[in-house]
Amino acid sequence: MDQASSSSEGKKSFTDPVTVDDNEEREAIEIALFQVPECYVYLIPPRKTAASYRADEWDVNKWAWEGALKVVSKGEECIIKLVDKTTGELYAQAFLREGELHPVEAVIDSSRYFVLRVEEKIDGRVRHAFIGLGFRERTEAYDFQAALHDHMKYLNKKKTAEEMEQHFQNTSSVDYSLKEGETIVLQLKNRSDKDTKSKTVEKSLGNLSLEDKGKSIETTIPSIIPPPPPPGPLSPVTTAQKSPSNLPPSLSLQRSSEQQDLDTKREEEEKKEDLKAKDGGVEDAPDDDFGDFQAAG
């Protein structure tokens, strides 16, 4: 019994809520967003009107405190810490939380000076105070504002992601399963004529023998028209006839052998006719000597 009770007590110690809270605090790690080794704190008079703060109303050459500034992110909180340069002792801090007033307000006459709303717990109550904050360089002041802006963007993205996740869980929780007595009606379209034709052909072929099947299949296959024969070689006569007649003399086409033979024959006949014409003219010419000889006898 003693052993059982001791084992049960050991199990309870693992689920102790105190240890769970410690684990949650350990998970919230501080992440440094911005750090500058030198900044200045000013004690400013309370604002009497709704007008914005002005740095020329302070004595900027007489600061109340000088030290380092750190901007860290811890969970959903952004903490602005003013610490000592050497010891790291905390001087003051401000908190940037979603849904609350922004703890930093810029002055209207300079880009290096701000008004910081710091808070501190005194006797269980949260106290607020407004102090002036200044940087030596404008780039440091710009990086300080950018770090605060990035943290606010991170909170907005986280919020939208949580809303999307919640919306997805609500929409995905719909039950699409069939309840008792519910049925599904499926409407199928009519089959095409090709399917019916193929089935009728298969049924008709089922009662035939192998030879009849082969014949019937041959008849069912549509005849394929053969391609036209290739064109024959072109003859030189046809090419000569189809060739244009208006070609220049420099582009004369080559005549065929038969045409050349005809041309040579025509030339020979023309030569013979010329020779005959010459011979006939000699015979028909009057012979004066022969006439004179007859007249004398």
Side-chain angles (χ1 to χ4, degrees):
M1 294 295 291
D2 294 334
Q3 293 178 355
S5 61
S6 63
S7 62
S8 62
E9 290 176 357
K11 290 181 181 178
K12 286 181 181 179
S13 63
F14 286 106
T15 59
D16 192 359
V18 177
T19 57
V20 173
D21 294 337
D22 294 340
N23 292 331
E24 290 179 356
E25 290 179 358
R26 290 175 183 174
E27 289 177 359
I29 302 172
E30 290 187 356
I31 301 172
L33 303 179
F34 173 72
Q35 185 174 356
V36 64
E38 187 178 3
C39 70
Y40 307 95
V41 173
Y42 301 92
L43 299 178
I44 60 176
R47 183 164 54 179
K48 297 179 182 180
T49 62
S52 300
Y53 289 99
R54 298 179 64 90
D56 58 0
E57 295 177 355
W58 315 339
D59 191 357
V60 294
N61 294 322
K62 293 181 180 179
W63 50 84
W65 181 85
E66 179 184 355
L69 182 140
K70 294 181 181 179
V71 179
V72 296
S73 173
K74 186 177 181 181
E76 294 185 356
E77 284 187 344
C78 183
I79 308 170
I80 304 168
K81 294 183 178 182
L82 300 173
V83 297
D84 189 81
K85 291 181 180 180
T86 56
T87 62
E89 184 181 358
L90 182 64
Y91 174 75
Q93 59 184 357
F95 295 89
L96 175 61
R97 302 185 183 95
E98 187 179 6
E100 296 184 2
L101 293 174
H102 204 286
V104 180
E105 183 179 353
V107 299
I108 61 173
D109 59 344
S110 178
S111 61
R112 296 187 292 116
Y113 295 94
F114 304 89
V115 176
L116 186 65
R117 183 173 62 87
V118 297
E119 64 180 52
E120 185 180 359
K121 285 185 178 181
I122 300 174
D123 298 333
R125 296 178 63 183
V126 179
R127 303 276 184 171
H128 296 90
F130 293 90
I131 60 175
L133 178 66
F135 297 94
R136 185 176 290 274
E137 301 293 338
R138 288 189 177 89
T139 55
E140 296 175 348
Y142 176 79
D143 294 339
F144 171 66
Q145 288 181 304
L148 301 178
H149 181 67
D150 291 343
H151 180 75
M152 294 303 297
K153 285 176 63 177
Y154 160 73
L155 293 179
N156 292 333
K157 288 182 180 180
K158 185 178 180 182
K159 184 178 179 180
T160 53
E162 290 175 354
E163 291 176 355
M164 291 175 64
E165 184 179 0
Q166 187 69 24
H167 178 70
F168 175 74
Q169 289 178 357
N170 294 333
T171 54
S172 62
S173 61
V174 179
D175 187 10
Y176 294 102
S177 61
L178 293 176
K179 299 179 181 178
E180 293 185 6
E182 291 184 350
T183 57
I184 298 176
V185 179
L186 299 176
Q187 294 181 356
L188 300 176
K189 295 182 180 179
N190 295 328
R191 296 180 179 179
S192 60
D193 297 336
K194 293 182 180 179
D195 296 336
T196 56
K197 289 180 180 180
S198 62
K199 286 186 177 181
T200 54
V201 172
E202 289 177 359
K203 289 181 180 179
S204 62
L205 292 176
N207 300 324
L208 298 175
S209 62
L210 294 175
E211 295 179 356
D212 296 335
K213 284 183 181 179
K215 293 178 180 179
S216 62
I217 291 169
E218 290 177 357
T219 55
T220 55
I221 296 172
S223 60
I224 300 173
I225 299 172
L234 297 175
S235 61
V237 177
T238 57
T239 54
Q241 291 176 358
K242 292 182 181 180
S243 62
S245 60
N246 297 325
L247 292 176
S250 60
L251 298 175
S252 60
L253 300 176
Q254 185 178 2
R255 295 181 179 180
S256 60
S257 59
E258 296 178 357
Q259 191 70 23
Q260 291 179 358
D261 295 338
L262 292 173
D263 293 340
T264 52
K265 287 180 180 180
R266 286 177 183 176
E267 291 178 356
E268 291 177 357
E269 290 178 357
E270 289 177 355
K271 289 180 180 180
K272 289 180 180 180
E273 289 178 357
D274 294 338
L275 293 172
K276 287 180 181 180
K278 289 180 180 180
D279 295 336
V282 172
E283 292 176 356
D284 294 337
D287 194 357
D288 296 336
D289 295 336
F290 182 75
D292 295 339
F293 180 76
Q294 288 179 355

